[in-house]
Amino acid sequence: MPHTCIIVEDEPLARSLMETYVKKVPYLQLVQSFSDPLKALDFLRDNTVDILFSDIQMPEITGITLLKILQKKPLIILTTAYSEYAIEGYELDVLDYLLKPITFERFLKSVEKASLRLNTTVSVQQQPQAPVIQEKVIKEVIINQADATQAFIFVKDGTKLVKIRLSEIMYIEGLKDYVTIYTTQQKVVALQTLKALEAQLPETQFVRIHNSYIVALEWIESVHREKVQIGKVFLPISDTYRKAFKEFIER
């Protein structure tokens, strides 16, 4: 089934662009678009959708205020031209943050993240409870989009956001629905698929070398035919990713 969504955007051109983007994605269904956030609020009191795309700066009430008022929240993707709202949005459990002007590629990455979250939620509900992991488990990873250089990510730990600098991430290991982020300072376990995390990391800084590993170009010390050395660790390069990895390091 497609994921239902609504758009809340007071600027006609921006609203039209978002509508066009939504219609390009086969698994999205646009239920309605609103120029007035109060009308959107009234709609959401009696109706449920999977995803809400909302601008922040709007007349009457802001997108942030809309989120604070909503009792039953869908997945929230904020759009705005003002990067200073990013952190406040994440504190309200926003799924993603799109900085205008929004490209279709960036929009699609955000939608993929939402789709993975929705599909994972359904899958988890249908499966028996997983065993407890004897490490600190982080519920989700949030990527900071306020800065085009993406200098860091925020890791959500309950109601607290912990910042991890991308420059300190050495490599990431995936195991089913979990990833382990190895940094120069710590090891963090997060409830997040490797595929979802890969889609959110800067392509110029990180590369997939195996079904279970993503490595940071910054920390690669040597490359062998079948292995990558990062510090004292040797990670395997699978046949699936060998050609793409070779092109990545030689460009």
Side-chain angles (χ1 to χ4, degrees), residues 48-240:
T48 59
V49 295
D50 297 317
I51 306 169
L52 165 62
F53 298 97
S54 178
D55 187 22
I56 292 180
Q57 288 289 82
M58 293 183 290
E60 304 296 340
I61 63 172
T62 68
I64 296 293
T65 302
L66 175 63
L67 301 191
K68 291 178 178 179
I69 295 173
L70 283 176
Q71 296 298 314
K72 296 175 62 178
K73 293 182 177 64
L75 294 182
I76 309 294
I77 298 176
L78 288 178
T79 66
T80 186
Y82 303 96
S83 61
E84 62 266 24
Y85 291 102
I87 303 305
E88 184 179 5
Y90 286 132
E91 290 173 348
L92 291 169
D93 201 23
V94 169
L95 177 73
D96 206 351
Y97 179 94
L98 300 179
L99 189 62
K100 298 177 181 179
I102 303 166
T103 65
F104 180 68
E105 179 181 6
R106 180 65 188 87
F107 171 84
L108 190 57
K109 284 186 177 182
S110 185
V111 169
E112 277 290 298
K113 182 178 180 181
S115 181
L116 283 167
R117 173 79 68 82
L118 291 165
N119 291 337
T120 299
T121 299
V122 172
S123 177
V124 169
Q125 290 174 346
Q126 294 175 347
Q127 295 178 5
Q129 186 174 358
V132 176
I133 294 181
Q134 299 302 318
E135 290 190 54
K136 182 180 181 183
V137 176
I138 307 303
K139 291 186 177 179
E140 63 180 317
V141 176
I142 301 174
I143 302 298
N144 172 58
Q145 298 294 344
D147 186 343
T149 62
Q150 280 187 241
F152 53 86
I153 63 177
F154 278 106
V155 176
K156 188 176 182 184
D157 181 9
T159 59
K160 179 177 65 176
L161 293 174
V162 180
K163 183 166 74 173
I164 300 178
R165 298 186 183 281
L166 293 183
S167 61
E168 294 178 353
I169 297 177
M170 302 172 71
Y171 65 96
I172 304 166
E173 182 181 11
L175 179 61
K176 294 186 177 180
D177 293 332
Y178 294 91
V179 294
T180 303
I181 304 171
Y182 293 85
T183 79
T184 57
Q185 307 296 324
Q186 60 185 325
K187 180 174 73 172
V188 178
V189 178
L191 180 55
Q192 175 93 347
T193 66
L194 194 65
K195 181 179 179 181
L197 186 54
E198 179 187 19
Q200 299 157 11
L201 293 171
E203 297 177 357
T204 56
Q205 296 174 249
F206 296 88
V207 62
R208 185 85 168 260
I209 63 168
H210 189 275
N211 282 340
S212 300
Y213 294 102
I214 294 173
V215 299
L217 181 62
E218 172 77 15
W219 293 98
I220 295 177
E221 294 186 12
S222 63
V223 179
H224 306 262
R225 174 173 170 74
E226 298 180 352
K227 295 179 181 179
V228 169
Q229 181 183 359
I230 297 180
K232 296 181 180 180
V233 178
F234 288 84
L235 304 175
I237 305 171
S238 70
D239 293 337
T240 303

Side-chain angles (χ1 to χ4, degrees), residues 41-52:
L41 178 61
D42 186 57
F43 174 85
L44 289 171
R45 285 196 178 104
D46 300 319
N47 300 275
T48 59
V49 295
D50 297 317
I51 306 169
L52 165 62

